[in-house]
Structure formats: C-alpha cells, structure tokens
Amino acid sequence: MHLDHSETTAPQHHTSGAPARRVLGPPAPAGRATRRRALRVGLGGPVGSGKTATVAALCRLLHDELSLAVVTNDIYTREDAEFLLREAVLPPERITAVETGACPHTAIRDDISANVEAVEELEAAVGPLDVVLVESGGDNLTATFSRGLADAQLFVIDVAGGDDIPRKGGPGVTTADLLVVNKTDLAPYVGSDLARMARDARAQRGGKPVVFTSLAQEGGVRPVADWLRERVASWRAA
Amino acid sequence: MTRAALLVLADGRFPAGGHAHSGGAEQAVAAGRITDAAGLAAYCRGRLHTAGLTSAALAAAACAGADPLRLDEAADARTPSPALRATARRLGRQLLRAARAAWPAAELDALAGARPRGVHQPVILGVAARAAGLGPADASYAAVYEAVSGPATATVRLLGLDPFEATAVLARLAPELDDVAARATTAGVRAAAGGRTDVDVLPAAGAPLLDIAAEEHAVRTARLFAS
C-alpha cells in the first residue's frame, strides 16, 4: 500500500476562513508593501511524535527554495531550539524560542501574544520570509493553534503512540489542515496497523489530507514538503 | 466609564502573555524560599509592597494622563535588573497588542509608534485602563492584583500547591491590596497633577532579592516560565 501517495489529496481549498488579518504591529518596512507577510504554519502533536524532526527535515529540504524561520515552544528547556541549531538546519538568527509557563496549549491558542511577537520579530529581523514554522511544545490530542497565530496547522502523531489515535480523534487529529503519521518504519515492531490508521483518519477528517512519513528514511519528509509548497503557492496567490 | 472593563483588563485570561511569567516565583521555588502556602503568602506580601506598589503607581499615573514616555524612563530607573527591564518591555508590547484590539485608541497607537521595542508593562496597563474608560484607582488595582496573582498561579503549577489554598492566600491579602492600591493611586494622581508629569513623587520601593533572583532565573537552562 503506497500510503504516501494514496493519502495525499489534491490542493487545499481555503476553508479556514483565515483571511489576511489586520496586523497590530508597525507597518511593513518600505519596499515590502506589496509582499504579503509570511505564511505561518503551526506544528502540534504529542511529545516525541517527531515535530522537531519534521521541522528539521523540512528546513533541510526547503531552505534553498523558500525563505524559512522557526519559532519553538519548548516546555521547560531550549532543547528543541538547540537541536535545530546544532543540526544547523537554518542560521541561528532564523530560530527563536518562546517559553510557555507550563501550558504549551495556552501559548498557541488562548494567549498567542508571545508567539505572534516572536513571528513578527523574525520577519522584521531576517525577512522577507516565505514561511514561519511555529512548533508547539509537545502536548495532548486537544492542542490546536489559534487562527490568530497560524494560517495553517499540521498535527504530528506517530505509529508507536498506538494505532488507535486516529480513531480517538480529538481536535488535533480531526481539525488540523494536515495530519502527519510519523515513524511508519516502526509499525512492524509495535504492531501498528497502518491501513487501519489511514481508514480511521479518513473517517475522522472528512477528506482533509493525511500523510504517512518515516523521517528515518532519506527524503521521508517529502509528503509534508509537498503539502507545504501547495500552501505557500495558494497563500501567495490569495 | 465602565467598571466592568476592569474585570476584562485584570482577567488572568486576558491574552497579554502573563501566563508564561511567574513573577519571580519560579526562582524563589528553586531556591527553597517558597515551599508551601505560607511561603507563597510571604512572597506575595513582599512583592506587593515593593514591586507591586511601584508598578501600581506608574499605572495610576499613566491612567491619570502623565507622559507615558517619562514614566517609562521612571520605570527603568526603578528596575535595577536588566532581565526585569527586558521582561517589563516584552510584557508591555504584548499587553499593548491586546489592548489595541480590545480598546482601540489613538494614545495606544501613538505609544506603539513611539516605542516599537516596548514600554514598561505597568505604564501600558495605565494607558490601556484609560483607553478602556477606567480611572487611576482601577489601574492601580489591576497592577497590585497582578503582582500577587502571577506568583500564586505559577506556584500551583510549580509545586502542585493546592489551588484552593493558593486562592485563599490571595483572598487573605485583599485588605493589603486595597491599602497598597490606595497609596499607589494617590502617588500616581499627584505625579500627573496639573497636566505635568512629576516622576519624583512616584514610589521607588524595590526588593533586591527579586532583582538578584531575576538575573539568576534569566540564565537558567531549564525553566517553565519566562520570568
């Protein structure tokens, strides 16, 4: 079963109702007035599912093609930001970390002010940017990004977390613009049924796309990168 | 004027970034200075009468119409710790964003334009209160409550402190909040009297241990809170 292909659906329609918002910051610097601000993409998902690895892989694959920056929301350390720095996926001035006061979901949903500020500071410092990836701290299945922070969001789960997670649903699994099921290479070892996960995800998500990835393999992030390219294209066209 | 706007402004869920800050409680917990509800009460009392009083007077003065840029300088002079100055400006920027959405006002826009790197949060709090149709006493109350509610919430998360006990600590402090808010309001209104800005009449109460702890906290590698 070619999950990578069969589950990647056609271009996204803009159902999100997230039109260009009035930005309550200083006006864009001269010369950039006609360029739209960067597409803001949130990555959520449980601890250890591969959010940081996905960010790193996306940056490695796309940094020549898109102007990228990353905001991490570490829970109590700066390890995610430091991992990205150590891996040198982007220059350090393109990576910033936000503290979340033990409530990662609050920082991406209820009170987005620190994250919005971090995104705007990156755009001001190293812009113009095409995409800012905002990586949530690992959280539970209910964590979703506010539309005030993210124009699109992807939710990363993994096969080792149990193949019943798509069936359980929850806001992350059901509403994210893209569901990423990572670590498919581990499926045989943990007894996860990928076909079942695909079926359940389809049932929960009403046609929204699902991709299966194995970041351990060369080019494993490609399905996510393809989705991101499409979002960038429609963002620019809008 | 609407008093109910004070509930909106002082709500712990007002999206101005406060949830990620402990008001110094994280470092105090790490150093063993807060271990239980009694320790929290003592910490809150100390913060209220020092940083809380100073902040509330700045907020009241800003709300009474004093020049916010002069008040920002006065706040700098009253904040020895560079880490706390940076925190105050960051929280000021975040509060300004929320306030401009909640109570659009030319004064708030002008502040954002004049100081893109931010103004101390209590000053913004005062101008926001003014934009919301509130008075200097309301701004003081919002500031003094914030001075104690932040550490209380953070301590519940950091120590697993019983949330009922933590809330009871705040309730027992209420008469002192009244007292400090009243003193701050008097000073703030005086600072703005006659259309001038006299920052020298504003209190400059400080707590050296809060400043030192803030510097220690800023270089910690593992922490839950931004300050």
Side-chain angles (χ1 to χ4, degrees):
Chain A
M1 178 175 185
H2 297 287
L3 289 167
D4 286 0
H5 304 292
S6 61
E7 298 303 318
T8 309
T9 59
Q12 284 286 286
H13 45 219
H14 268 293
T15 53
S16 65
R21 284 174 307 282
R22 190 166 58 94
V23 176
L24 293 171
R32 289 178 49 201
T34 55
R35 187 181 169 117
R36 209 167 174 200
R37 66 159 173 77
L39 177 70
R40 300 171 183 177
V41 179
L43 291 93
V47 175
S49 62
K51 294 180 297 300
T52 308
T54 300
V55 168
L58 284 172
C59 291
R60 277 193 211 101
L61 189 66
L62 296 173
H63 71 89
D64 286 337
E65 171 183 342
L66 295 170
S67 179
L68 299 169
V70 176
V71 179
T72 64
N73 283 230
D74 290 320
I75 308 294
Y76 52 85
T77 66
R78 294 179 172 261
E79 281 191 24
D80 289 345
E82 280 164 10
F83 173 81
L84 295 173
L85 291 171
R86 207 166 48 239
E87 295 286 300
V89 296
L90 287 178
E93 65 274 16
R94 287 174 177 259
I95 302 169
T96 190
V98 164
E99 284 105 343
T100 59
C103 282
H105 49 273
T106 302
I108 61 166
R109 185 183 58 206
D110 310 79
D111 182 352
I112 58 175
S113 55
N115 269 307
V116 172
E117 174 139 311
V119 170
E120 289 180 0
E121 283 176 358
L122 281 170
E123 289 212 71
V126 297
L129 296 168
D130 294 309
V131 178
V132 180
L133 300 171
V134 182
E135 182 195 340
S136 168
D139 207 325
N140 58 45
L141 296 174
T142 67
T144 51
F145 284 78
S146 161
R147 297 191 186 289
L149 174 61
D151 304 303
Q153 50 193 301
L154 48 90
F155 199 73
V156 183
I157 61 174
D158 70 280
V159 302
D163 62 5
D164 54 348
I165 287 183
R167 182 181 55 73
K168 286 179 179 167
V173 165
T174 58
T175 69
D177 299 291
L178 179 70
L179 179 66
V180 179
V181 184
N182 188 27
K183 307 187 191 176
T184 53
D185 50 305
L186 296 184
Y189 306 107
V190 296
S192 282
D193 180 344
L194 294 182
R196 174 192 167 185
M197 292 184 88
R199 210 166 44 240
D200 289 344
R202 208 164 33 236
Q204 288 281 5
R205 290 174 50 75
K208 288 198 288 291
V210 184
V211 294
F212 286 73
T213 57
S214 169
L215 298 181
Q217 285 156 21
E218 181 69 26
V221 81
R222 199 153 284 134
V224 184
D226 291 343
W227 173 85
L228 184 59
R229 285 192 189 96
E230 284 175 7
R231 296 301 300 223
V232 172
S234 51
W235 177 253
R236 284 175 177 158
Chain B
M1 163 166 174
T2 159
R3 175 56 57 82
L6 177 57
L7 298 176
V8 179
L9 181 61
D11 189 338
R13 296 183 182 188
F14 193 73
H19 74 96
H21 294 259
S22 75
E26 182 163 44
Q27 192 62 24
V29 166
R33 290 191 285 272
I34 303 177
T35 56
D36 55 13
L40 173 65
Y43 181 86
C44 287
R45 181 171 289 113
R47 191 164 192 254
L48 169 66
H49 287 275
T50 55
L53 172 67
T54 304
S55 296
L58 288 163
C63 189
D67 175 1
L69 301 183
R70 295 277 318 280
L71 293 175
D72 190 47
E73 290 168 6
D76 258 347
R78 286 159 174 75
T79 313
S81 154
L84 285 181
R85 286 201 292 270
T87 295
R89 289 220 160 82
R90 179 167 290 279
L91 284 173
R93 289 201 299 274
Q94 292 178 232
L95 176 58
L96 185 57
R97 178 189 301 277
R100 289 173 79 189
W103 300 286
E107 273 183 304
L108 294 172
D109 296 344
L111 263 183
R115 290 286 184 276
R117 299 304 305 155
V119 168
H120 277 254
Q121 190 266 4
V123 180
I124 300 290
L125 185 62
V127 182
R130 186 177 162 90
L134 296 165
D138 301 312
S140 286
Y141 267 100
V144 295
Y145 183 61
E146 220 171 57
V148 296
S149 61
T153 310
T155 307
V156 168
R157 295 186 199 166
L158 289 162
L159 285 178
L161 195 65
D162 181 336
F164 301 118
E165 281 189 34
T167 300
V169 165
L170 295 179
R172 283 193 296 270
L173 279 171
E176 284 179 65
L177 293 175
D178 284 334
D179 173 53
V180 175
R183 284 157 56 202
T185 304
T186 303
V189 169
R190 264 187 73 201
R196 299 171 306 110
T197 299
D198 180 5
V199 299
D200 292 338
V201 304
L202 292 171
L209 196 50
L210 286 180
D211 294 311
I212 293 165
E215 292 300 313
E216 288 170 347
H217 186 267
V219 295
R220 280 169 63 118
T221 50
R223 61 190 191 207
L224 287 171
F225 292 88
S227 77

